[in-house]
Amino acid sequence: MFDRRSVLLGLAASAAAPVAMARTALQNGSPVSGPDAALLEALDTAFMEAARTSPETLTGLGLKERYGELDDYTAQAAVDSLALAERQTADIVARFGGADLSEQGRLSVRLLTDGLAQQQQLHQYRRHQYLITKAGSVMSSLPVMLMNQHRVDTVEDARAYISRLIAAERVMTEVASEFRARAEAGFAPPALTYQPNLTTGRSIISGAPFDDGEPSPLWSDIQAKVNALEIPEGEKVEILGDARAALTGPFKAGYEVFLTAIAEVGAGKDRNDGVWALPDGAAYYETMLGFYNSTNDTADWIHETGLAEVVRLRTEMETIKDQVGFDGDLQAFFEHLRSDPQFQYPNTAEGKEAFLEDSRRYIAQAMAIAPQWFHTLPQAALEVRAVEAWREQTASTAFYNQPSQDGSRPGIYYVNLADMTQVSKPSAEGIAYHEGAPGHHFQIARAMEQPGLPMFRKYGFYGAYIEGWGLYAEKLGKEMGFYQDPYSDFGRLTMEIWRAIRMVVDTGIHTRRWTREQAVQYFSENSMVSPLTIDREIDRYICSPGQATSYKVGMIKILALRDQARAVMGDRFDIKGFHEVVLGVGAVPLGVLAERVEAWSQA
């Protein structure tokens, strides 16, 4: 999950060649020259060398190299990926470690070497990474890649699509083998993961052409893409016939192999323990906290800080409850907001569209006054979309997909609208600011547009920086003058306390041996989040240890840095300048961010 190939798979979604773009930036006057230009060339060359070991990453980058292939999912592939990273890093350090680099050049080398050390550490725990989670598996990620990233502009592209359908049998066999091996070694996923993945896998190989039902998502996708080609009808019929044969033959056979493995490993499983139950689970969890938070904060500190934040935020919630004149305790107010129709969207197509339109309106008002708060805005467009129906059962509640660098694909704020009775109107505004503007879009799209920034930094992943900024953006919306409706402001607090609850529950599950039922109860007592969403959240924490803590950890650190800078600078403090310092060089560890803010405030 966390080797270099997987990070590229998860984060790379550009639609232009990175090395070519880097060279163009230099030619167009990017402030990179001398040793820094040579370093940029070396880093981007290394990035592409790693990317070329992964056909799926190349597709994510918009390149049609190895276009008819899928990745190697064997255990050896992770070993090879680490060996490549070690060789590349040693070469770049040898060439540029003593060079006269700029501050940014030195930071790039530092992040590269630190990243390798982290990759080496995570490699020790590669078997701890669950190959199926409540959010899905390769069975769902493969169709997402084919449908959203595999472009069909020519007959050759269509043939490459079919080759990938055929290659799915090899992929699923490799993953099934590794899945069984990990389970036999004591690293089987929790009980809650099996049925959702069996259901999703079956849905992908159901419908036409697998049976007489409605067209399956992949069959609809390949038909639409082939029929859009300007080629003779006879050739279209031939290509679609081959696609049908690939789907009903090797593709379906591969899915059956993995589905059988999931069913057999999951038979009789009834425990949903934290990773404390895995071999060397305590050390693994501390490693994951370090990975996601880029700090040395312990599980105990995170747990106790989360408890304190829940108390503080409940007090602020009580104030708004009293302001609107509600007669009852906070728990009763939660239930009032969950059940009163005025605070819900209708569970209809019209209700879903109303949520999307409200979200677009919130983002538009943030964009309108953003120049008062930011020196530089992202150039990429931002869209709001509902999660596709076929992946609603495994997709998370809301998430952001980054744009392509050539402008052909916008940044996308996706929201899961599977059941509108589980969606709260008061929370809609805060989610829009987090996932869209001024949240992840201002951060992730902006990083991709930075001139002279090496590709590995444009796609860099530092969880507490990324998610901390998203949560900071929710609070920033209040400072920007939004949340005029007190119920919407209460929704903002609900979103923040949600993240504080995560600090408590994640650490509770994985270090204090909380049961799933204990976690659900604590969440329910302190939040107006719907029961269905709470269930999804707890399952996510169990499957992805440590990740959920990064939101509040990051927000706390960013706000503390802002307060420190304001104390040092006094009247010289400029919020636009602070935001430029935070966003101006892409994602970085929190320690590096602290150094940048301190240098700015002292300058």
Side-chain angles (χ1 to χ4, degrees):
M1 180 177 177
F2 299 115
D3 60 18
R4 180 172 298 193
R5 181 193 68 172
S6 299
V7 170
L8 288 170
L9 276 173
L11 300 178
S14 168
V19 173
M21 287 189 298
R23 289 171 179 162
T24 300
L26 289 171
Q27 294 165 358
N28 289 344
S30 171
V32 182
S33 60
D36 283 271
L39 173 64
L40 177 62
E41 180 82 8
L43 288 170
D44 284 345
T45 297
F47 180 92
M48 287 309 302
E49 182 184 15
R52 288 190 173 97
T53 68
S54 165
E56 294 169 42
T57 295
L58 292 170
T59 300
L61 290 168
L63 305 176
K64 292 185 178 181
E65 299 180 38
R66 306 185 67 185
Y67 210 37
E69 302 176 48
L70 296 177
D71 284 5
D72 181 349
Y73 284 82
T74 64
Q76 184 60 43
V79 175
D80 294 342
S81 176
L82 178 60
L84 174 60
E86 290 172 336
R87 176 179 62 77
Q88 290 177 331
T89 302
D91 174 66
I92 288 174
V93 170
R95 292 172 59 190
F96 298 99
D100 184 20
L101 298 171
S102 67
E103 177 186 355
Q104 285 306 310
R106 293 192 300 273
L107 179 57
S108 291
V109 174
R110 173 183 171 184
L111 293 178
L112 183 72
T113 56
D114 288 351
L116 174 62
Q118 188 171 70
Q119 184 176 346
Q120 290 169 327
Q121 185 179 31
L122 291 169
H123 186 76
Q124 301 175 42
Y125 297 104
R126 60 194 179 279
R127 294 192 300 174
H128 291 69
Q129 306 300 322
Y130 299 134
L131 292 175
I132 63 171
T133 71
K134 191 63 179 294
S137 70
V138 67
M139 289 191 297
S140 51
S141 64
L142 179 57
V144 168
M145 183 274 293
L146 286 169
M147 295 168 66
N148 292 342
Q149 297 181 352
H150 188 110
R151 307 192 315 276
V152 175
D153 303 315
T154 65
V155 169
E156 290 73 21
D157 296 343
R159 292 293 178 189
Y161 193 118
I162 295 170
S163 294
R164 283 179 153 167
L165 295 176
I166 295 170
E169 183 174 21
R170 187 260 305 163
V171 166
M172 298 302 162
T173 301
E174 290 174 352
V175 177
S177 176
E178 180 66 12
F179 182 72
R180 291 181 186 276
R182 293 188 188 186
E184 290 171 4
F187 299 99
L192 61 89
T193 63
Y194 297 92
Q195 190 55 54
N197 280 280
L198 290 171
T199 300
T200 296
R202 284 287 166 209
S203 71
I204 292 169
I205 54 173
S206 297
F210 306 103
D211 55 42
D212 295 331
E214 293 295 317
S216 68
L218 279 169
W219 183 231
S220 296
D221 184 59
I222 186 64
Q223 283 184 302
K225 289 174 176 176
V226 170
N227 285 326
L229 295 175
E230 296 182 359
I231 58 175
E233 286 302 312
E235 192 170 7
K236 292 181 181 179
V237 170
E238 178 186 353
I239 292 171
L240 290 175
D242 291 343
R244 176 189 291 270
L247 283 166
T248 57
F251 183 87
K252 184 175 186 293
Y255 271 66
E256 293 289 1
V257 168
F258 195 16
L259 287 168
T260 298
I262 293 172
E264 292 178 356
V265 171
K269 290 285 190 303
D270 60 359
R271 298 294 297 268
N272 291 309
D273 296 325
V275 295
W276 59 264
L278 300 179
D280 205 18
Y284 167 58
Y285 185 65
E286 290 292 342
T287 297
M288 297 313 297
L289 289 179
F291 171 75
Y292 284 117
N293 294 327
S294 62
T295 68
N296 295 320
D297 296 331
T298 66
D300 285 343
W301 180 88
I302 292 171
H303 190 86
E304 296 301 324
T305 301
L307 288 171
E309 283 294 283
V310 168
V311 172
R312 179 184 67 81
L313 289 162
R314 284 182 66 100
T315 301
E316 293 190 28
M317 289 174 146
E318 292 276 6
T319 300
I320 294 180
K321 175 181 71 70
D322 294 341
Q323 176 188 346
V324 298
F326 182 81
D327 185 16
D329 63 15
L330 194 56
Q331 196 66 35
F333 193 50
F334 290 157
E335 183 57 32
H336 171 60
L337 293 177
R338 278 194 294 256
S339 59
D340 193 312
Q342 68 174 309
F343 302 117
Q344 295 177 332
Y345 292 92
N347 196 20
T348 61
E350 292 76 16
K352 294 180 180 183
E353 185 58 34
F355 182 98
L356 297 175
E357 285 302 317
D358 282 349
S359 299
R360 293 174 184 129
R361 175 169 55 83
Y362 294 137
I363 288 171
Q365 69 181 14
M367 294 294 294
I369 69 166
Q372 301 173 32
W373 295 81
F374 296 87
H375 282 305
T376 306
L377 305 184
Q379 298 301 304
L382 173 62
E383 292 185 4
V384 182
R385 299 182 189 175
V387 167
E388 301 88 347
W390 68 270
R391 60 171 174 152
E392 285 178 338
Q393 297 308 308
T394 53
S396 57
T397 303
F399 52 96
Y400 174 78
N401 275 11
Q402 63 193 33
S404 60
Q405 288 193 279
D406 68 347
S408 62
R409 185 181 63 252
I412 303 170
Y413 156 33
Y414 273 110
V415 60
N416 192 334
L417 301 178
D419 183 356
M420 296 305 293
T421 65
Q422 305 297 313
V423 178
S424 165
K425 276 187 178 181
S427 299
E429 186 170 5
I431 298 174
Y433 300 146
H434 180 115
E435 302 294 347
H440 288 324
H441 186 63
F442 275 39
Q443 169 195 66
I444 296 172
R446 171 76 196 284
M448 294 176 64
E449 296 166 2
Q450 291 293 330
L453 203 64
M455 296 305 296
F456 90 94
R457 288 179 59 186
K458 289 187 176 184
Y459 297 112
F461 177 79
Y462 297 97
Y465 172 92
I466 293 170
E467 298 300 351
W469 174 265
L471 188 52
Y472 170 84
E474 295 178 27
K475 184 178 179 65
L476 184 64
K478 175 76 170 176
E479 299 171 5
M480 295 169 79
F482 306 139
Y483 305 106
Q484 289 299 305
D485 181 349
Y487 289 104
S488 194
D489 196 22
F490 190 88
R492 173 186 67 83
L493 293 174
T494 296
M495 298 292 291
E496 186 174 352
I497 202 171
W498 182 346
R499 281 34 174 264
I501 291 169
R502 285 175 170 175
M503 298 174 78
V504 178
V505 172
D506 196 284
T507 51
I509 290 170
H510 295 294
T511 68
R512 304 189 179 206
R513 305 194 177 193
W514 281 18
T515 64
R516 187 180 184 284
E517 292 69 30
Q518 282 178 284
V520 169
Q521 180 179 354
Y522 182 83
F523 208 135
S524 301
E525 290 173 350
N526 292 288
S527 173
M528 61 168 265
V529 175
S530 69
L532 176 60
T533 299
I534 290 175
D535 282 341
R536 285 177 176 166
E537 285 285 301
I538 300 303
D539 293 347
R540 169 184 164 187
Y541 309 157
I542 292 172
C543 293
S544 302
Q547 189 274 339
T549 69
S550 61
Y551 299 73
K552 200 71 170 75
V553 169
M555 179 196 194
I556 289 170
K557 304 290 186 182
I558 292 172
L559 286 172
L561 291 173
R562 192 176 75 171
D563 290 343
Q564 291 166 16
R566 182 178 278 117
V568 170
M569 303 175 76
D571 293 340
R572 294 186 297 113
F573 179 82
D574 170 36
I575 192 64
K576 295 167 67 173
F578 174 77
H579 289 155
E580 184 66 21
V581 170
V582 173
L583 301 177
V585 295
V588 292
L590 293 181
V592 171
L593 181 62
E595 294 171 7
R596 284 181 50 78
V597 173
E598 181 179 359
W600 171 70
S601 62
Q602 297 286 351

